[in-house]
Each structure stands twice: as C-alpha cells, then as structure tokens.
Amino acid sequence: MMNHTPSIPSVVLGTVQFGMSYGINNATGQPSAEEVYAILDDARKLGIQTLDTAGAYGSAQELIGNYHRMNNQTFQVNSKFKGTDASSLRKELEQCLHTLHINAVKTYFFHSFSDYITTPSLLYHLTQLREQKLIGSIGISVYSNEELRQAIAEPEIDTIQLPFNLLDNVSKRGTLLKEAKEKGKKIQVRSIFLQGLFFKDPHTLPPVLFPLKSYLETLHYIAKVHTIGMETMCLQYVCAQQEIDELIIGVDTSQQLHRNLEAIQENCPASLLPLIDKVDVHENNLLYPYNWK
Ligand SMILES: NC(=O)c1ccc[n+]([C@@H]2O[C@H](COP(=O)([O-])OP(=O)(O)OC[C@H]3O[C@@H](n4cnc5c(N)ncnc54)[C@H](OP(=O)(O)O)[C@@H]3O)[C@@H](O)[C@H]2O)c1
C-alpha cells in the first residue's frame, strides 16, 4: 500500500474550549484553570508557538494572560474582534493586549465576515494598526465559499481562517484554496474535528443531525477498512492539502493534544484521500455548527 507523507502544516492551539463549555461530544465541560495551564505547558513543550483566541471565547483571553504573567515565555497569539465600530477598534485591541499580556497580536481577525461588509472603515484602521506593528497581519474568519471568494479578492487581507474537514472537504471547497494561495493568502483551517462530531457514534446523533448519519457511517467505514483511527484520518486529510499553511486544533485535555500531535506525524494510506473527497454532503447548512441548535 502506498503511503502519503504530507508536508506538515504548523499547528495553532485553539482556545475556545478553555473559555467556555464547547463541542457536541463534550462530556467533561469547561476545563479548570489548572487544567488549562497544564495544556498550555504541554503545548509549549511540544513546540506549539501560536494560540488562536477571541474576545468572544468567555474567559479564554484572561486565562492566557494569567498564564503569560506566571511564566517568562509567552505564546504568539491570534485574536478576533467582533461588532466594533472603527473608532473603538484601537481601544479594543489595547484592552486585548493588556488582557493577554503581550505587546502585539500576531494576526487580528474579523470574527464575523458581516463586520467586514457592513463597516468597510475597519479594514483601513486595521492597516494602520498593522503599520504600527500592534498587529502582525490582518485576518478574516469565513464559513461559506461566497465569503471565502470575497476574502480572496481583498488585497489587504493577509490570512483567511475557514472550516475544513472530512465533510467540509475538497468536494465542497473545490479550487478555492488554490485560488487563495495564488493570491498570496495564508490559509488557516479550523473545525478539523467538527467540534468532536466525528468521534460520535452515528447512532447517537441528535435529531437535527440525522441527515449527516449516512455520511458519518461512510467515514467510519473508510477508517475501518484502512485500519486508521478517526483522529488520524481527520488530521491527515487536512495535512494532505498542500495549500493549507496552519491547522487549528481544539482540545479539552492534554491527552487529546498529545494524541493529535502524534496522529499528525503518522502516515496515511494515499488510497483513502479520494474516497473522502467523494463524500459530498448535500445538506450544506449542517456543516456549520451554528445551525445545529
Ligand atoms: N474563527 C471562528 O469563527 C472559530 C469558530 C470555531 C472555533 N474556532 C477556533 O478553532 C479552535 C478549534 O475549534 P473547532 O470548532 O475547530 O473544534 P474542532 O477542532 O473541530 O473540535 C475540537 C474538539 O474535538 C474533540 N477532540 C479533539 N481531539 C480529540 C481526540 N484526539 N479524541 C477525541 N476527541 C477529540 C474535543 O471535543 P470533545 O472532547 O468535547 O469531544 C475538542 O474540543 C477553537 O479552539 C477556536 O480557537 C474559531
């Protein structure tokens, strides 16, 4: 069997799980502050340099800031702002830097694509903050292909963050990742585990997700015949996409972090990738967890 050995994208540690109870498969709730600090310690030891956070992630920014205050070394941090008017953007960033206990945000993201559309002056203010080196680069978080297309066309946007996974896959995104790369964008992907959905027994889905059952069964079947663990398949599918620069991994425990970083290093049977590409979810709206309520 031929093995596919991908060039490994760098890993960014997601932090929404630190600041609030998160995920469809989450039985343990929000980790304690001590558990969060232990995960951050492990992340540092394992070579992770960057965190992904946001003002909207409950206590996540405070926990990261406390961790920085207690330790000599700091992480590079990407953060996101939401629904602000352009005149208060700088103030909000300064507050964010203070909370995180850092001098500059690595990439500052529009958390909502709609803010980019409704308040065009935000982008101008972000370019000023970038010039003043209070932020390293400008990012935008998108969901749909239409948002992705518009982000690709915006010259001032440096980084695009989007969901990409076994179901929100090549058959959904088509050539858009390639187009983004051609325009010089950095591509960062999230929702690699679709909030833990891939680890759920397809027979125990909540009613709203019943339409995804057959697709999940197909994925479990593909994993079984290739004798590959689900976390390995989730991660290796993303690593196999040459255009992806960074993957964001969200974990609730140190054990998951260790397991996921091991899974990234494993080989993946090349024959598995086209089978996943062919899984074509028709219910596009269910690919986005905000529609699961
Ligand atoms: N920009 C945005 O709009 C946006 C939106 C969402 C998230 N994010 C960022 O992306 C990060 C990741 O969130 P996501 O939605 O993309 O989550 P995800 O990576 O799709 O799923 C993370 C969840 O998968 C489960 N998991 C991870 N490793 C596992 C393993 N080895 N075995 C079993 N279960 C495992 C954990 O949930 P359980 O243990 O609870 O099952 C974990 O909370 C967040 O922390 C956040 O920083 C950004």
Side-chain angles (χ1 to χ4, degrees):
M1 181 161 46
M2 244 184 73
N3 279 332
H4 168 89
T5 311
S7 61
I8 297 171
S10 31
V11 172
V12 171
L13 182 64
T15 65
V16 68
Q17 290 81 355
F18 296 171
M20 52 177 68
S21 189
Y22 182 84
I24 185 160
N25 202 27
N26 182 351
T28 50
Q30 191 184 346
S32 69
E34 284 63 37
E35 283 167 325
V36 170
Y37 301 146
I39 295 172
L40 290 173
D41 267 339
D42 276 349
R44 236 177 32 188
K45 285 183 203 138
L46 291 163
I48 291 178
Q49 294 173 358
T50 309
L51 305 178
D52 174 85
T53 194
Y57 293 169
S59 56
Q61 296 204 133
E62 282 78 21
L63 287 162
I64 297 167
N66 290 344
Y67 182 84
H68 284 163
R69 282 182 192 91
M70 293 185 295
N71 291 277
N72 288 330
Q73 277 178 300
T74 53
F75 286 95
Q76 297 183 319
V77 187
N78 297 331
S79 192
K80 316 183 195 78
F81 64 91
K82 219 174 196 171
T84 195
D85 62 275
S87 61
S88 50
L89 185 64
R90 172 181 290 270
K91 234 179 170 173
E92 195 168 319
L93 174 64
E94 283 167 353
Q95 181 56 51
C96 168
L97 294 175
H98 175 74
T99 306
L100 291 165
H101 198 60
I102 53 175
N103 296 323
V105 161
K106 187 179 177 192
T107 305
Y108 206 32
F109 284 87
F110 285 92
H111 204 151
S112 298
F113 183 84
S114 58
D115 291 339
Y116 164 70
I117 296 297
T118 57
T119 319
S121 56
L122 282 169
L123 190 58
Y124 170 73
H125 281 80
L126 285 168
T127 62
Q128 304 272 297
L129 297 171
R130 186 175 58 190
E131 253 170 50
Q132 292 154 12
K133 303 208 182 316
L134 286 173
I135 64 174
S137 52
I138 301 171
I140 191 159
S141 165
V142 302
Y143 282 93
S144 68
N145 282 345
E146 189 39 45
E147 292 174 355
L148 177 54
R149 272 189 204 97
Q150 292 188 55
I152 293 170
E154 173 54 66
E156 294 296 352
I157 300 248
D158 305 303
T159 303
I160 303 174
Q161 188 191 116
L162 74 151
F164 190 84
N165 55 57
L166 301 172
L167 294 180
D168 195 346
N169 55 12
V170 165
S171 80
K172 294 285 130 203
R173 299 298 178 177
T175 57
L176 284 172
L177 298 186
K178 197 160 172 271
E179 288 169 36
K181 271 313 342 136
E182 283 164 4
K183 293 278 184 190
K185 308 298 183 198
K186 183 190 259 193
I187 301 176
Q188 216 183 49
V189 303
R190 65 172 183 269
S191 298
I192 294 158
F193 302 117
L194 209 45
Q195 288 197 8
L197 178 72
F198 297 122
F199 302 106
K200 232 177 145 46
D201 177 346
H203 295 98
T204 62
L205 292 179
V208 65
L209 294 179
F210 282 174
L212 295 182
K213 184 165 175 261
S214 63
Y215 307 111
L216 281 175
E217 283 171 343
T218 303
L219 294 175
H220 282 277
Y221 178 75
I222 295 173
K224 195 172 164 199
V225 296
H226 288 86
T227 54
I228 189 170
M230 186 53 87
E231 71 275 79
T232 306
M233 195 163 90
C234 287
L235 289 159
Q236 291 293 337
Y237 182 66
V238 174
C239 289
Q241 316 304 322
Q242 298 300 322
E243 297 85 7
I244 293 173
D245 299 293
E246 293 181 335
L247 45 103
I248 306 178
I249 293 183
V251 300
D252 306 303
T253 63
S254 275
Q255 205 186 0
Q256 286 178 350
L257 179 61
H258 282 269
R259 179 63 208 115
N260 293 340
L261 292 181
E262 270 166 24
I264 287 178
Q265 306 291 336
E266 284 167 22
N267 279 339
C268 171
S271 56
L272 176 151
L273 302 172
L275 297 178
I276 297 169
D277 288 347
K278 272 193 223 136
V279 178
D280 186 6
V281 171
H282 293 147
E283 300 78 1
N284 273 351
N285 61 322
L286 289 181
L287 294 176
Y288 307 134
Y290 59 76
N291 291 321
W292 295 353
K293 283 160 198 139

